[in-house]
Amino acid sequence: MSMSAPPLQRRPATIKDVARELDISVATVSRAMSKPHLLRPATVARVREAVERLGYRPNLVAQNLKLGSTRIIYVVVPAMSLFFFDVFRGIERAALEQGYSVVAAHTGRDPVREGEYFDQVACGRADGVLLVSSARLETRPPHQHQYPPTVSVLEVDEGREFPSVRVDHVAAAAMATNHLIELGHRRIAHISGNALAPMAEHRRRGFLQAMAAAGLSTEYCVPGEFSPEAGQAAMEILLARAVRPTAVFASSDEIAVGAIRAIKAAGLSVPGDISVMGYEDQRLSRIYDPQISTVHIPTFDLGYQAMTKLRRILAREPYEHDVLLPTHIVVRATTAAPKQA
Amino acid sequence: MSMSAPPLQRRPATIKDVARELDISVATVSRAMSKPHLLRPATVARVREAVERLGYRPNLVAQNLKLGSTRIIYVVVPAMSLFFFDVFRGIERAALEQGYSVVAAHTGRDPVREGEYFDQVACGRADGVLLVSSARLETRPPHQHQYPPTVSVLEVDEGREFPSVRVDHVAAAAMATNHLIELGHRRIAHISGNALAPMAEHRRRGFLQAMAAAGLSTEYCVPGEFSPEAGQAAMEILLARAVRPTAVFASSDEIAVGAIRAIKAAGLSVPGDISVMGYEDQRLSRIYDPQISTVHIPTFDLGYQAMTKLRRILAREPYEHDVLLPTHIVVRATTAAPKQA
DNA sequence: TCCCCCATTGTTAGCGGTATCAAAGCGGCA
DNA sequence: TGCCGCTTTGATACCGCTAACAATGGGGGA
C-alpha cells in the first residue's frame, strides 16, 4: 500500500496580499473587484493583473459575514428519490436565474436532522430554506427551533404553516379514486405510503373521501411504504383476501410497480383482472412495462415557483401565502373497466 | 389573490447581546458555548439560561471565518440519478460519523458549473470536494481554477488526477462482456452511455477489449445515453440490422430497460431471443420485470471510503492515492445461452 | 504573614472582507 | 488667484466570533 504524503497547501492570497503587492489600499482592491466603475480604468487593470498573478479570490465567508447574506438556499428533502429531484430541478432553474446557489440537504425523514438543517440556516449558513415535504408534526423533537425564511413545497407543513407552493393531494387522490370508480370498479383497494410522510396521509384521506362519497366500502385500505418491495408485500396481503379487490390505487408509482409484480406473480393480469393506479407520474411510470396510469404532479413548476416565492420573501416583497398548482390524471395501460362489470 | 405582508424579521441575537444581558464579557459567553469546563458551573448555567431566553445561536459564518474551516464538504455530482445518490448515501454516513456536513451540488454535466462549485469551495465556502464522476477533459473551460482538497469518486479524473476511490470500469465491463461470451454468444452488441461521461467511455473500452480478446467482431457497438429512451432507440437500430445480435451489453441498467422494451416491442423475448446485460446494479434492475442481470458497483462503500479519505487529507494524515474497490456480476433473469448455440 | 499558583474572567487583536468618511488632486470659473 | 466640486484613492470601523494574553482573587504552603 503506497501512502502519499499530504501535499503542502499554500495559504490562499488575501486582499491584503494584493494591496501590498501594488502598494495600494485594500479598499481599492475591493472596489476593483466589485465596483470597478468607481476607479480609473488603469487602476482596475493593474489590480486585475495582480489578482491573476497572485491567484487571489475573495473569501466568500468573509464577504458573507460583512454583507450578512450568503445567497445560498438549503433545499431540505426527506429522501433521495427521483420524485423529489424533479422538484429540485425546478428549484435549481429558478435559483440560477435569480442569482442564488442551492444545496441539497437530505434528512432521510429524520426530524432531528431536519431541525439541524434549519439551525444551520438560522445560524447564517444560508439565507433561506425550501422544505420539500417534511416530517410529521408528532414526530418532531420538542427542541425550540428558530425558523429562517422558509417555503414549503409539495404540501403544507402542519403546525408551522410556512408559506407554500403545493398541490391538493387530497383532491388529487380523490380524482384518482374516482377514475377507478367511473370505470365501474366497486371493490377498490388503497396501498398507502410511508407513515411518516404527511403526503401519504393526505392521499389516503382523498381515497377515503372519494369512496365514502360513492358509498363504497374502504375495507381494502392497507398500510405500505414508498417502495416497490412494500407495494408487493401489501398487494400480496390484499390478494390473500377471500374476495379480492378489482382495482388498486397505490400511493406512488413505485408502490404500483410492486403491486403489479405481485399481481403477475399470482397468475393474474393487469388490467385484465385487476386495475392499478399510481401517483406522482414519475418517469418510472412511463418506463415500466406496462406503462402505469397515474396522477400527474407538476414537480418542476412546484420547485420553480417555490424558489421564486422565497426570493420575494427575502427581498421583502409581498407574496401569496399559499399557492395551489393543478394536477391531472394520466391514463395509460394499467387501468380498465372490471371484467364482471 | 390575497397577498401577505412580509413578516418582520427580528435581528438575530449575537454574542454581545448575551454578554450585555448578563453584564459579562463576550469571551465568557463564547467559552460557555464551546469550552464549558473552563468556567464555573454556575456561570455556564447563567449563560445557558440567557442564551435560551434570547434565542441566541452562534453565527456559523463568523465562526468559520475565525476558525478558517467550515466542516462542510461539497459533493459534486453530474446528474440527479439514483445511481449517484447511492454513492451520496455512503458519503453522508461517513460525514455524519466524522462531524462533517455534506451538501449536494449538481452540475448537469456542465463543466462550467463544475468549475463554479470548485471556485466556491476554493473561496472558503467548504473545506473540500468529493467529485462524483466528472466532465470530460476536452470539454472543460480553459479558465484557471484553483483546486481545493478533492477526492474523485467512482472513477479517476483524467488530467487532474485527484486522489480517488473508484472501481475499474474497464475490467468490470470486460467481465460483463465475458459473461455473455461464456454463455455462448458471438454477436454481442454494446449500447454505450452519455458521450460526455468518462465512465461511459471506460465501459465501452472494456467491452471492446473483451471482444477483441475473444476474437469477436465489435460491429454492434452503438452510441447511446444513460436513459431508457436512448436505450430503446439504440436497440431499435440494432434490431433493424440484417443479422441481429443475440446479446446486448448495456452501459447502464436504465439503458437495459429501454433495450428490453424495444426487444419486446419487436415481438422477441428476453432472454429467449436476445440476452441483455445491464451495469450498475441499480435498484431498478431488481424491480424491473424481468429482473436484470448486471454488474454490481459498490456505490455505498465508494462514497463512504471517499469521504473517509478526504477527512484524512484535510487532517494532513497519510493516505493512499488511488483506491480500487472490487465489482462482481449479478446474474438474474435477462441473460441465458443463445438459442442456436 | 507573605507569596505563589491556579481557577476564573476580562480585554483585545485579528479572521478577510466592505462601507463610510476623509483627503488629495485637479480643472473650471469668477 | 482663490474657491468650489468632482473624481479617485486612502484610512478605518466593523460584521460576530475565538484565542492569546492579562488581570483578579482566593487558598494553601512555607
Side-chain angles (χ1 to χ4, degrees):
Chain A
M1 180 152 110
S2 79
M3 287 290 193
S4 309
L8 46 131
Q9 286 159 33
R10 212 170 61 262
R11 182 183 66 82
T14 73
I15 197 168
K16 273 188 207 151
D17 298 321
V18 180
R20 197 177 314 119
E21 175 79 11
L22 296 174
D23 197 32
I24 58 177
S25 80
V26 293
T28 304
V29 178
S30 173
R31 280 188 279 251
M33 305 258 64
S34 51
K35 337 196 127 120
H37 58 276
L38 289 179
L39 260 40
R40 254 201 354 252
T43 310
V44 174
R46 279 175 60 222
V47 173
R48 289 251 166 89
E49 184 277 329
V51 162
E52 196 69 21
R53 184 152 41 83
L54 299 182
Y56 166 70
R57 345 201 58 127
N59 182 311
L60 292 180
V61 172
Q63 219 169 44
N64 295 162
L65 176 61
K66 178 65 187 179
L67 300 179
S69 124
T70 61
R71 296 200 80 77
I72 288 181
I73 301 298
Y74 268 35
V75 180
V76 176
V77 296
M80 291 290 175
S81 79
L82 290 179
F83 178 60
F84 291 123
F85 281 109
D86 278 347
V87 178
F88 191 84
R89 274 193 204 97
I91 292 171
E92 222 175 16
R93 167 73 63 82
L96 192 69
E97 291 176 6
Q98 302 169 8
Y100 281 88
S101 296
V102 293
V103 299
H106 152 233
T107 67
R109 293 191 197 287
D110 180 348
V112 174
R113 291 181 58 192
E114 184 180 301
E116 285 169 1
Y117 287 125
F118 270 119
D119 283 348
Q120 282 199 15
V121 179
C123 291
R125 275 269 170 82
D127 294 352
V129 168
L130 288 171
L131 184 61
V132 182
S133 183
S134 80
R136 288 280 281 270
L137 193 54
E138 62 268 30
T139 65
R140 287 200 207 121
H143 177 69
Q144 187 69 289
H145 289 291
Q146 282 176 24
Y147 294 111
T150 300
V151 171
S152 286
V153 197
L154 262 180
E155 63 185 337
V156 288
D157 185 275
E158 291 169 21
R160 294 184 290 202
E161 317 296 338
F162 299 121
S164 67
V165 177
R166 62 185 182 102
V167 298
D168 185 339
H169 290 286
V170 177
M175 201 159 62
T177 309
N178 284 331
H179 166 62
L180 295 170
I181 294 172
E182 281 159 20
L183 282 172
H185 293 279
R186 292 296 168 262
R187 294 192 305 280
I188 304 174
H190 176 62
I191 303 175
S192 57
N194 203 303
L196 292 177
M199 265 195 305
E201 168 58 20
H202 294 153
R203 296 173 193 178
R204 186 167 149 275
R205 203 181 303 157
F207 167 78
L208 296 176
Q209 284 180 9
M211 292 297 277
L216 297 174
S217 155
T218 56
E219 64 182 304
Y220 296 101
C221 187
V222 298
E225 255 178 51
F226 289 126
S227 77
E229 292 77 8
Q232 181 167 4
M235 193 68 221
E236 281 163 4
I237 291 172
L238 287 168
L239 290 172
R241 296 276 184 99
V243 181
R244 288 171 172 164
T246 65
V248 182
F249 167 42
S251 194
S252 80
D253 294 332
E254 293 220 350
I255 293 175
V257 163
I260 293 170
R261 170 184 297 276
I263 294 167
K264 284 188 187 169
L268 300 172
S269 80
V270 176
D273 296 298
I274 301 181
S275 284
V276 176
M277 185 82 189
Y279 193 100
E280 293 181 359
D281 195 18
Q282 283 190 39
R283 213 160 57 102
L284 176 65
S285 64
R286 269 190 309 274
I287 292 171
Y288 204 71
D289 187 18
Q291 296 193 344
I292 301 167
S293 297
T294 188
V295 179
H296 178 75
I297 306 297
T299 43
F300 185 93
D301 286 345
L302 284 164
Y304 190 94
Q305 294 198 28
M307 178 64 225
T308 303
K309 173 183 283 199
L310 182 54
R311 185 194 56 70
R312 296 181 69 91
I313 293 178
L314 291 172
R316 294 181 152 67
E317 294 172 14
Y319 58 90
E320 201 175 349
H321 188 81
D322 193 29
V323 174
L324 271 176
L325 264 46
T327 60
H328 64 265
I329 284 188
V330 183
V331 179
R332 296 208 180 92
T334 56
T335 50
K339 258 183 185 162
Q340 65 282 43
Chain B
M1 177 152 110
S2 79
M3 287 291 192
S4 309
L8 44 131
Q9 287 158 32
R10 210 169 63 263
R11 182 183 67 82
T14 73
I15 197 169
K16 272 188 207 150
D17 298 322
V18 180
R20 197 177 314 118
E21 176 78 11
L22 297 174
D23 198 33
I24 58 178
S25 81
V26 292
T28 303
V29 178
S30 174
R31 280 189 278 254
M33 307 257 64
S34 50
K35 340 195 124 123
H37 58 278
L38 289 179
L39 260 42
R40 257 205 347 254
T43 310
V44 175
R46 279 174 62 221
V47 173
R48 291 251 165 87
E49 184 276 330
V51 162
E52 196 70 23
R53 185 152 41 81
L54 299 181
Y56 166 69
R57 343 201 59 125
N59 182 310
L60 292 180
V61 172
Q63 221 170 42
N64 296 161
L65 177 60
K66 176 67 188 174
L67 300 180
S69 128
T70 61
R71 296 199 80 76
I72 287 182
I73 300 298
Y74 268 35
V75 180
V76 176
V77 296
M80 291 291 176
S81 79
L82 290 179
F83 179 59
F84 291 123
F85 282 109
D86 278 346
V87 178
F88 191 84
R89 275 191 203 98
I91 292 171
E92 221 175 16
R93 168 73 63 80
L96 193 68
E97 291 175 7
Q98 301 169 8
Y100 280 88
S101 296
V102 295
V103 299
H106 153 232
T107 67
R109 292 192 198 286
D110 179 347
V112 174
R113 291 180 60 192
E114 186 180 299
E116 286 169 0
Y117 287 125
F118 270 118
D119 283 347
Q120 283 198 15
V121 178
C123 291
R125 275 270 170 82
D127 293 351
V129 168
L130 287 171
L131 184 61
V132 182
S133 184
S134 81
R136 288 279 279 270
L137 192 54
E138 62 267 33
T139 64
R140 286 197 209 124
H143 178 67
Q144 188 68 290
H145 289 293
Q146 282 175 25
Y147 295 110
T150 300
V151 171
S152 285
V153 197
L154 261 179
E155 63 184 337
V156 288
D157 185 274
E158 290 168 23
R160 293 184 290 201
E161 317 297 337
F162 299 121
S164 67
V165 177
R166 62 183 183 104
V167 298
D168 184 339
H169 290 286
V170 178
M175 202 160 60
T177 309
N178 283 331
H179 166 61
L180 296 170
I181 295 173
E182 280 159 19
L183 282 173
H185 292 280
R186 293 296 169 261
R187 295 194 303 280
I188 304 174
H190 175 63
I191 303 174
S192 57
N194 203 302
L196 291 178
M199 266 195 304
E201 169 58 20
H202 294 154
R203 296 173 191 176
R204 187 168 149 273
R205 202 180 305 158
F207 167 77
L208 295 176
Q209 284 181 9
M211 292 296 277
L216 298 173
S217 154
T218 56
E219 63 181 305
Y220 296 100
C221 187
V222 299
E225 256 179 50
F226 289 126
S227 77
E229 292 78 7
Q232 181 167 4
M235 193 67 220
E236 281 164 4
I237 291 172
L238 287 167
L239 290 172
R241 295 276 183 102
V243 181
R244 287 170 174 164
T246 64
V248 182
F249 167 43
S251 195
S252 79
D253 294 332
E254 293 220 349
I255 293 176
V257 163
I260 293 169
R261 168 184 298 276
I263 293 168
K264 284 189 187 169
L268 300 172
S269 80
V270 175
D273 295 299
I274 300 181
S275 285
V276 176
M277 184 83 191
Y279 193 100
E280 293 181 358
D281 195 18
Q282 283 190 40
R283 212 158 59 100
L284 175 66
S285 64
R286 268 190 308 276
I287 292 172
Y288 204 71
D289 187 17
Q291 297 194 344
I292 300 166
S293 297
T294 189
V295 179
H296 178 76
I297 306 296
T299 42
F300 185 93
D301 286 345
L302 285 164
Y304 189 94
Q305 294 198 27
M307 178 63 224
T308 304
K309 173 184 283 199
L310 183 54
R311 185 193 56 69
R312 297 181 68 91
I313 293 177
L314 292 172
R316 293 180 152 66
E317 295 171 15
Y319 59 91
E320 202 175 348
H321 187 81
D322 193 30
V323 173
L324 270 176
L325 265 47
T327 61
H328 64 264
I329 285 188
V330 183
V331 179
R332 296 208 179 92
T334 57
T335 50
K339 257 183 184 163
Q340 64 283 41

